[in-house]
Each structure stands twice: as C-alpha cells, then as structure tokens.
C-alpha cells in the first residue's frame, strides 16, 4: 500500500490496494491508521459492485441508514444515491445534496463516524467535492478564542436546513413527516476525537441554527466568523473525481461540500455508505430563544 499526501491540511491517495478483495486485518488496520492521520483517503481506479462497496465499508464499523427515510436506497437501504439522474420519470431527490458545507449526521444525537463515497458517473467537467479539516480550523484559533468556544454548544436543526433551502410546499410536506422524527439537537461546538484525542471545531453552515443559550441575533456574528474561518482554502482539499474513485472521510474532524460546478444536463452519480457514530449531544429539550 502506498500513501501520497494530496494537500497540506488533509487528504491522501492510497494505491496498491484492490478494494474488491477481502482485505486482511493488517491491511484494514493500515488503512485505518492512514485515515486517522490524513482524514480523507482517495482510492483511485476501483471497480466496485454495490455489494463490494458495502462489504469494504463494513470493515470500519456498522453502517447507518439515512435519517430521512425517503433517501434510503430501495435495494440496499444503507446506500445513499447522490445523483441528478432521472429516477422513475422524476428528477432525483438527491440532485442538490451537499451544496453547503456540512458534516454528515451532525443534527442527530449520533453524528456519523465517517462516509465512503463511490463515483459511478461524472460530468465532463466539475462535479468536485471539497473537504476541510476541522482540526486545522480549531488549532489556528487564538487561545482566547479557544477558551470562549470550548464550553459552547450549538443548536443543530434539520428543519432550519430545509427552511433555508426554500423548497416548495409539496416537498416540504413530504420531508416534514421525517423531520418530525428528527427534532433539533444540541451539540458541542468543540469536540475531542475519540480515537486521536485531538480537538476539532464542530461547526457547519447548513444545520447550525444558533449557539445554544444565545438568541439568533447574538449568535449570527460569531457563527458567520466560524463558518468562514473553518473553510479557509488552506484547510481544504478539493477532489476532482474520476469514475471508479472511492473516497472515505472522517466526519469527526472534517466538513465537506459538493458545489454545483457542473452542467446539470450531464449525469453525476455517486453512492455513499455512512458509518454509524457514537452517541454525542442531546435533544433540545427547552426551547432555545428563537429571535
Ligand atoms: C455528501 O454530502 O455526502 C455528498 C458529497 C458529494 O456528492 O460529492
């Protein structure tokens, strides 16, 4: 197995490994060690069936099903298809997934541990994914700012996310039933990675409604600063996909973004498995000030 760093803050390419094979425990341990060090691993030129993608993913933990039931795969519920393809005569509901910086599952009480995304079709140009290191985001803050942020918590809310997207009433009705099962949660603003012991900034512009205990106006300036700081270009790696690439990232210390940087008439088709995380945060019991 060869490891080649792809950017300063995060990202490494892994070659010399065929993910179709049933890899031995030593190889899985080496991949896991590289993952903890580089946060995002790129395995180029793999040629995986859905079953092989799922089998490789399971070597890193239990797989979770998407919090929104309508996004769970029909044949393989653990697969999230992210695509602009026409499915059953309709535009796929995942055509616009990931357009803002986010961390998978952050608005639940069990944020996802990691995700493994496999590329099945790419437009001629664009269709990239950006990743940002939340270790770098935390480490580069001043000690005073770290001291302010360490005890703070955020309110993360799927309803806020859908509200912000300005989706149509029919679509909103459809997702609201699922959102009912996913009430707002309170999450630490700074987390400690359970395997590396390193601190990470746990922020994202998609789902954080406000700082817990502050009203939205008080929160807005601080959140705006944190979102901008966390995604500074020097903390990022941008992946230019080729069909057959598998990319796995650690959600506990990264954010990602899938910009609409391609021709929407050309097909982009990705399949994601998601690793179940540990219990973190709590449901928002008392109403946080909303104004
Ligand atoms: C995601 O947010 O997991 C999707 C990323 C992508 O489609 O590139």
């Amino acid at each position: 197995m060869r490891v080649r760093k792809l950017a300063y803050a995060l990202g490494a390419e892994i070659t010399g490994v065929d993910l179709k094979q049933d890899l031995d425990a030593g190889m899985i341990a080496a991949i896991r060690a590289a993952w903890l060090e580089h946060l995002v691993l790129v395995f180029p030129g793999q040629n995986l069936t859905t079953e092989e993608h799922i089998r490789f993913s399971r070597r890193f933990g239990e797989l979770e099903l998407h919090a929104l039931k309508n996004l769970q795969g029909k044949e393989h519920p653990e697969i999230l298809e992210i695509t602009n393809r026409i499915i059953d005569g309709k535009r796929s509901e995942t055509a616009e997934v990931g357009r803002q910086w986010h961390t998978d599952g952050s608005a639940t009480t069990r944020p996802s541990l990691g995700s493994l995304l496999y590329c099945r079709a790419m437009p001629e140009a664009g269709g990239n994914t950006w990743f940002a290191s939340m270790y770098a985001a935390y480490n580069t803050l001043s000690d005073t700012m770290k001291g302010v942020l360490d005890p703070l918590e955020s309110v993360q809310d799927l309803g806020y996310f859908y509200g912000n997207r300005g989706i149509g009433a029919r679509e909103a009705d459809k997702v609201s039933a699922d959102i009912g099962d996913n009430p707002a949660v309170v999450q630490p603003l700074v987390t400690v990675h359970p395997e590396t012991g390193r601190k990470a900034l746990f922020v994202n512009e998609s789902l954080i409604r406000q700082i817990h205990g502050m009203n939205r106006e008080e929160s807005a300036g601080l959140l705006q600063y944190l979102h901008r700081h966390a995604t500074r270009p020097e903390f990022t790696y941008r992946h230019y996909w080729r069909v057959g690439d598998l990319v796995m990232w650690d959600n506990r210390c990264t954010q990602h973004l899938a910009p609409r940087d391609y021709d929407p008439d050309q097909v982009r088709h990705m399949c994601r498995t998601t690793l179940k995380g540990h219990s973190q945060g709590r449901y928002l019991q008392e109403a946080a000030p909303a104004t």
Side-chain angles (χ1 to χ4, degrees):
M1 170 175 133
R2 287 176 299 282
V3 181
R4 182 174 69 92
K5 230 168 125 67
L6 293 169
Y8 172 60
L10 77 171
E13 181 188 71
I14 306 290
T15 49
V17 185
D18 179 0
L19 305 187
K20 280 178 117 40
Q21 305 303 319
D22 192 8
L23 301 174
D24 64 31
M27 181 60 86
I28 295 295
I31 293 172
R32 191 168 194 108
W35 190 43
L36 292 177
E37 183 178 348
H38 299 287
L39 325 186
V40 174
L41 297 184
V42 176
F43 298 86
Q46 304 291 332
N47 177 23
L48 301 180
T49 62
T50 302
E51 288 75 15
E52 287 161 348
H53 177 190
I54 291 173
R55 186 182 65 183
F56 176 67
S57 305
R58 285 206 172 116
R59 302 296 300 274
F60 298 91
E62 198 183 333
L63 300 187
E64 68 177 28
L65 306 185
H66 199 280
L68 298 179
K69 294 192 188 74
N70 56 315
L71 298 189
Q72 296 169 7
K74 287 196 180 70
E75 219 172 302
H76 299 282
E78 54 279 84
I79 292 280
L80 168 67
E81 285 197 59
I82 300 169
T83 184
N84 56 356
R85 279 190 319 148
I86 303 296
I87 297 177
D88 298 334
K90 289 184 302 203
R91 186 166 180 262
S92 160
E93 292 183 48
T94 56
E96 301 299 334
V97 159
R99 295 289 184 247
Q100 286 177 293
W101 284 101
H102 66 285
T103 300
D104 301 324
S106 69
T108 70
T109 53
R110 195 179 273 275
S112 313
L113 187 143
S115 301
L116 296 94
L117 190 63
Y118 183 66
C119 178
R120 297 207 170 276
M122 255 304 118
E124 265 167 34
N128 307 156
T129 310
W130 273 17
F131 298 92
S133 164
M134 293 305 103
Y135 291 146
Y138 182 77
N139 289 342
T140 49
L141 295 168
S142 66
D143 288 345
T144 304
M145 185 55 122
K146 286 177 183 162
V148 170
L149 299 182
D150 277 348
L152 293 183
E153 297 174 309
S154 67
V155 177
Q156 306 222 16
D157 187 355
L158 264 180
Y160 170 77
F161 168 66
Y162 280 101
N164 271 358
R165 279 177 62 196
I167 58 176
R170 267 188 53 222
E171 202 185 336
D173 276 354
K174 198 148 49 85
V175 293
S176 63
D178 278 342
I179 287 172
D181 296 336
N182 294 281
V185 302
V186 177
Q187 286 290 351
L189 210 59
V190 175
T191 49
V192 178
H193 193 291
E195 291 183 78
T196 65
R198 298 177 66 191
K199 281 189 173 178
L201 201 56
F202 195 61
V203 297
N204 71 79
E205 65 179 356
S206 303
L207 290 146
I208 296 188
R209 198 172 80 193
Q210 65 208 96
I211 304 287
H212 187 236
M214 292 186 193
N215 63 38
R216 290 201 199 183
E217 197 184 359
E218 288 168 335
S219 302
L222 177 57
L223 287 176
Q224 196 182 41
Y225 165 73
L226 291 176
H227 296 328
R228 203 179 55 231
H229 168 76
T231 55
R232 276 163 49 177
E234 58 269 39
F235 304 157
T236 68
Y237 163 66
R238 182 168 186 153
H239 187 61
Y240 294 83
W241 291 94
R242 287 179 177 210
V243 171
D245 286 356
L246 181 123
V247 173
M248 65 186 281
W249 62 86
D250 188 336
N251 271 306
R252 300 165 293 183
C253 48
T254 61
Q255 289 193 64
H256 57 280
L257 164 81
R260 197 191 291 128
D261 59 355
Y262 57 94
D263 178 349
D265 293 331
Q266 295 183 10
V267 172
R268 182 179 192 271
H269 185 190
M270 316 295 284
C271 290
R272 196 182 90 189
T273 51
T274 312
L275 298 166
K276 200 176 252 183
H278 64 277
S279 167
Q280 178 184 290
R282 61 184 189 280
Y283 288 113
L284 178 68
Q285 269 147 13
E286 74 286 359
T291 54

